[in-house]
Amino acid sequence: MKQILQIGGRECLLYKRGEEPKVLLIQTLGAQERGSIDNEVAMISEATCTSFVMAAFAIGDWEVELTPWHDPAVSKRQAVGEHAGETLRYVTDTLIPYLHQEYGEIPIVLGGYSLGGLFSLWSGSESDCFAAIAAMSPSVWIAGWQDYASQHPVKSPYVYLSLGDREEHCRDKAIAQVGNNIRWEHEHLKQTLGEDNTTLEWNAGNHFVDGARRTAKGFAWCIDKVCQR
């Protein structure tokens, strides 16, 4: 079942699988995801027997709304890096209360792809609202990521990471750091969360291959972890 709603001034796509959902999935919805979200939700449904609700909330300006701090390699626009906190507050103060009122206070998984993955991973350190984080091809090449992650432990008990095996083989020197940083992040999470509570999955291809399938795999892993507790 799919609904298109306005929640707190943002467009949200709501998908419900099953009569009594056991977990809430929240995802950033940019222009790229709009064309594949239906297929992604179908793949999540195929991968798990657990009933769930997916809430994909619209992002108007991908860089401005999701980048946690300024990095000229992301964008030279000054506003980039100043508004991720507002986006997180929308999730925690508006979207989650609405979803809990509608479906009960069931566990929440936050996830996203690319900058949406970075935002999700960052949010997992900034808020304790999330039972799991799904960060697919997250932009952890952003300057200062390792310093931030070292000083701000993830508050979510489970974290899924993935990356395409060609993503670090690019000409952009900043983006090429994504491989080193995702490996570092995985090792860091294994130490802080435990090896069974995090994973790093490598997918064939570059950043622009099979985004919906990669995202579905991440959410399915998180569902299984959260609902086995």
Side-chain angles (χ1 to χ4, degrees):
M1 185 175 67
K2 176 182 177 181
Q3 295 176 282
I4 303 176
L5 303 175
Q6 288 288 325
I7 301 175
R10 283 185 188 259
E11 181 188 21
C12 294
L13 306 186
L14 290 186
Y15 299 80
K16 184 181 178 185
R17 185 266 176 94
E19 292 302 316
E20 297 184 5
K22 304 298 183 184
V23 60
L24 298 171
L25 312 179
I26 297 177
Q27 178 180 340
T28 52
L29 182 70
Q32 184 70 27
E33 288 82 4
R34 283 185 178 273
S36 60
I37 185 70
D38 290 356
N39 189 37
E40 176 196 319
V41 173
M43 287 189 284
I44 298 171
S45 297
E46 292 173 359
T48 179
C49 296
T50 303
S51 298
F52 64 85
V53 169
M54 162 68 82
F57 68 99
I59 300 296
D61 190 314
W62 196 247
E63 293 175 344
V64 168
E65 296 177 44
L66 298 179
T67 307
W69 56 79
H70 189 70
D71 178 0
V74 176
S75 174
K76 292 181 171 59
R77 291 186 292 161
Q78 190 58 43
V80 173
E82 297 181 353
H83 297 281
E86 296 170 18
T87 307
L88 178 55
R89 283 191 293 275
Y90 167 77
V91 173
T92 59
D93 297 354
T94 301
L95 184 55
I96 289 176
Y98 175 89
L99 296 171
H100 277 166
Q101 182 176 2
E102 292 293 315
Y103 304 108
E105 295 197 12
I106 53 180
I108 302 162
V109 178
L110 177 67
Y113 196 89
S114 190
L115 273 176
L118 176 69
F119 171 79
S120 299
L121 198 56
W122 171 79
S123 297
S125 293
E126 295 291 314
S127 172
D128 60 3
C129 288
F130 309 110
I133 298 296
M136 286 65 67
S137 292
S139 304
V140 291
W141 52 265
I142 189 172
W145 176 257
Q146 290 190 23
D147 289 340
Y148 170 83
S150 297
Q151 298 171 28
H152 300 82
V154 170
K155 299 175 182 178
S156 303
Y158 301 110
V159 176
Y160 174 94
L161 302 170
S162 73
L163 199 69
D165 60 10
R166 299 300 303 166
E167 293 195 50
E168 61 187 320
H169 302 290
C170 65
R171 295 180 179 179
D172 188 302
K173 293 182 179 179
I175 297 176
Q177 292 301 310
V178 70
N180 291 334
N181 281 5
I182 201 84
R183 292 182 185 92
W184 178 90
E185 179 68 18
H186 184 221
E187 291 301 317
H188 177 64
L189 290 172
K190 286 196 293 185
Q191 294 176 17
T192 56
L193 300 181
E195 290 194 24
D196 292 336
N197 300 325
T198 186
T199 191
L200 169 57
E201 185 165 4
W202 291 90
N203 298 287
N206 61 30
H207 188 71
F208 304 101
V209 175
D210 291 335
R213 181 182 60 83
R214 296 181 187 183
T215 304
K217 288 166 65 177
F219 275 118
W221 183 91
C222 289
I223 291 171
D224 288 345
K225 286 293 184 180
V226 169
C227 293
Q228 77 180 5
R229 298 182 71 184

